[in-house]
Amino acid sequence: MRRTRRRRIEETPTVMLTSMTDMFTLILVFLLHFIDPALSSDPSVQLPSAPVSDAAAEGTTLSITPDAVRLNAKTVVTLAGGQVPATVERDGKLIVPLYDALGAVQKQPAGTGTEEPLLRVECDKTVPYTVVSDALHTAGSAGFGRFQLVVIQKE
Amino acid sequence: MVSRARTPEGADLDVVPIMSLIMHLIPMLLLSVRFTYLAQLPSGRVVPSVPAPSGEALAEQEAKVVSVRITPQGFAVGGLGGDHVIPCTAALCTPDTYDYASLTAAMVEAKQQHPTENRVVVAPGRDTPYEVVINVMAATRSRGKGAFKQVLFPNALLADDAVAP
């Protein structure tokens, strides 16, 4: 009995994991190549596509979905029916809560450059222009002089 | 002799913990990866102290400034000397039925009349979907690809939504 058990243990094959480890390491590097904050967007936003090749850059991000206006992923204004509700404080076209939030972002120390601050705008393709117009007007009032309208690159 | 005893020949590395770690990392990365490339369209500044151009103001400037009004019936191109209307390809205007190819052709004509101008005023209506605005900006920006690419009006200025009817 003892002899039989010993033989079975000795015959158990060892799994060679080295080649599999190599493969997984390559997959890991491949996937890490696609992880870039500038290449990612708010998943709740259906971006429009356009045949442009200028790469999107990082920066303060204004996301406009049919449900909300977000600044750096924080909801600033909740939309109703794709429009800014009447209950939200306004000053003409200016959206006051968004203006305050953009002002707070502007006060934070950012780049050392002297050029005008850049606002990255990620807007859902179904949002009516009046919401976009009001948001951009508010951003302009808050000191953002350049807008980067983010789209999905189309061939 | 002592060292041989400490490190026996043929000792395998235990890669199982590393494999386990990688096996956990891969699904996590797959969830966060989006295999799409993002690009950007630059837009002009919105100056709060200067009122956005009205419809009349745009009409006065049409001889000098190239403009595109997005209406529920199609595009109205300014800067070509007179009204140049580009209707939609179907009775009902949707983001897919606006005639972007004809708009680009009109922009080529406008570029011949304004060779030094790089700006175009895009004036969408209040309810114009954002997708149409982007498509118009792309259509007025350039024509063709690669070596055959012709730059038209790369600087798009978004006008107030009060402009369009």
Side-chain angles (χ1 to χ4, degrees):
Chain A
M1 288 294 285
R2 275 187 177 178
R3 283 181 182 174
T4 313
R5 274 184 184 174
R6 276 184 185 172
R7 271 183 194 169
R8 279 179 186 170
I9 290 166
E10 285 170 3
E11 285 170 2
T12 304
T14 55
V15 182
M16 293 298 291
L17 292 172
T18 310
S19 54
M20 195 182 279
T21 309
D22 287 348
M23 186 184 75
F24 278 125
T25 307
L26 286 172
I27 292 172
L28 194 66
V29 171
F30 175 77
L31 290 175
L32 282 171
H33 174 73
F34 285 95
I35 303 290
D36 186 342
L39 296 178
S40 61
S41 64
D42 189 337
S44 62
V45 178
Q46 279 193 311
L47 291 173
S49 56
V52 289
S53 55
D54 298 346
E58 288 182 72
T60 304
T61 303
L62 179 70
S63 303
I64 307 173
T65 72
D67 302 322
V69 177
R70 299 192 186 97
L71 186 65
N72 290 335
K74 289 181 182 175
T75 301
V76 180
V77 177
T78 303
L79 302 179
Q83 302 284 344
V84 179
T87 52
V88 173
E89 190 182 353
R90 302 287 293 265
D91 183 5
K93 284 176 67 70
L94 195 131
I95 306 166
V96 175
L98 179 60
Y99 178 81
D100 295 340
L102 285 164
V105 170
Q106 273 281 71
K107 284 175 187 172
Q108 292 171 3
T112 55
T114 54
E115 57 185 16
E116 290 181 306
L118 174 75
L119 185 65
R120 178 184 157 115
V121 181
E122 294 179 2
C123 184
D124 193 284
K125 60 184 179 183
T126 61
V127 169
Y129 179 69
T130 182
V131 178
V132 183
S133 173
D134 291 354
L136 294 184
H137 177 86
T138 305
S141 302
F144 285 90
R146 295 182 301 146
F147 302 117
Q148 176 182 263
L149 308 180
V150 179
V151 297
I152 293 173
Q153 189 176 342
K154 187 169 70 175
E155 289 297 323
Chain B
M1 293 296 285
V2 176
S3 62
R4 272 187 189 174
R6 281 181 184 172
T7 54
E9 274 184 37
D12 288 329
L13 277 174
D14 188 7
V15 292
V16 176
I18 298 170
M19 287 288 294
S20 177
L21 177 73
I22 292 175
M23 286 292 283
H24 282 87
L25 278 174
I26 285 175
M28 192 188 75
L29 290 173
L30 277 172
L31 284 174
S32 59
V33 162
R34 295 183 76 186
F35 294 97
T36 51
Y37 285 100
L38 298 185
Q40 56 106 358
L41 279 166
S43 175
R45 179 175 184 170
V46 178
V47 183
S49 57
V50 177
S54 64
E56 289 177 359
L58 269 183
E60 288 175 4
Q61 293 175 359
E62 272 188 356
K64 299 175 183 175
V65 179
V66 180
S67 64
V68 179
R69 292 185 213 169
I70 307 171
T71 72
Q73 291 79 38
F75 302 125
V77 181
L80 292 172
D83 289 336
H84 188 94
V85 178
I86 302 171
C88 295
T89 54
L92 185 66
C93 284
T94 64
D96 295 328
T97 59
Y98 276 100
D99 195 351
Y100 304 107
S102 297
L103 177 62
T104 302
M107 288 298 110
V108 172
E109 192 181 335
K111 190 66 178 177
Q112 289 169 352
Q113 294 184 22
H114 307 270
T116 56
E117 184 62 77
N118 287 322
R119 296 171 302 170
V120 59
V121 177
V122 178
R126 287 181 60 82
D127 297 325
T128 304
Y130 179 68
E131 183 179 11
V132 178
V133 180
I134 290 296
N135 288 341
V136 167
M137 289 174 73
T140 57
R141 188 176 167 82
S142 61
R143 182 181 70 158
K145 289 179 182 177
F148 301 102
K149 184 176 178 179
Q150 180 188 5
V151 177
L152 299 171
F153 300 97
N155 298 335
L157 302 174
L158 289 172
D160 200 333
D161 54 13
V163 173

